[in-house]
Amino acid sequence: MKPKYELLAPSGDFPSMIAAVEAGADAVYFGVKEFNMRASAKNFSISDLKRINEICGKKVKKYLTINVITYDSELAKLEKIIKKVKGKVDAIICWDLQVIELCRKHKIPFHVS
């Protein structure tokens, strides 16, 4: 029987992601520049998703954090990001209603945090 918990680890850069995966994390969460609250982390770019998927493989879930307040002026850029990550992350961690609506629109799972 599969356990009912998930060990979720933050990843602000590739060394921390590799360490989390090697330590047995079930999932990692990370942000992209501009749209997450971990501004002090190096963060990732959309082009890093290929390497992230190589590191995590199929066993480790990947959650993208978009956990900031979004403004109407950012919606077009945000929607581009959400379209690009579809199928490359397991879910988006968010709380802003505009992000939730974009996730629903593009059928991307999300977790409210």
Side-chain angles (χ1 to χ4, degrees), residues 6 11 43 47 55 62 76 82:
E6 179 177 74
S11 299
N43 292 307
S47 63
I55 292 167
K62 299 155 299 286
I82 288 175

Side-chain angles (χ1 to χ4, degrees), residues 62-78:
K62 299 155 299 286
Y63 299 137
L64 173 63
T65 58
I66 302 179
N67 57 351
V68 294
I69 296 171
T70 56
Y71 298 96
D72 291 343
S73 61
E74 300 171 315
L75 284 179
K77 185 174 187 175
L78 186 60

Side-chain angles (χ1 to χ4, degrees), residues 2-38:
K2 188 175 179 178
K4 296 183 185 218
Y5 62 86
E6 179 177 74
L7 178 57
L8 176 63
S11 299
D13 55 25
F14 283 114
S16 64
M17 182 174 288
I18 291 166
V21 170
E22 288 178 353
D26 299 304
V28 294
Y29 67 92
F30 55 91
V32 292
K33 294 172 176 76
E34 298 179 71
F35 290 109
N36 78 87
M37 294 181 78
R38 300 184 79 219

Side-chain angles (χ1 to χ4, degrees), residues 89-109:
V89 299
D90 293 285
I92 292 177
I93 298 173
C94 58
W95 64 270
D96 186 282
L97 291 175
Q98 293 186 112
V99 178
I100 290 169
E101 288 303 316
L102 287 172
C103 288
R104 285 181 175 155
K105 177 180 177 181
H106 296 288
K107 297 178 174 47
I108 297 176

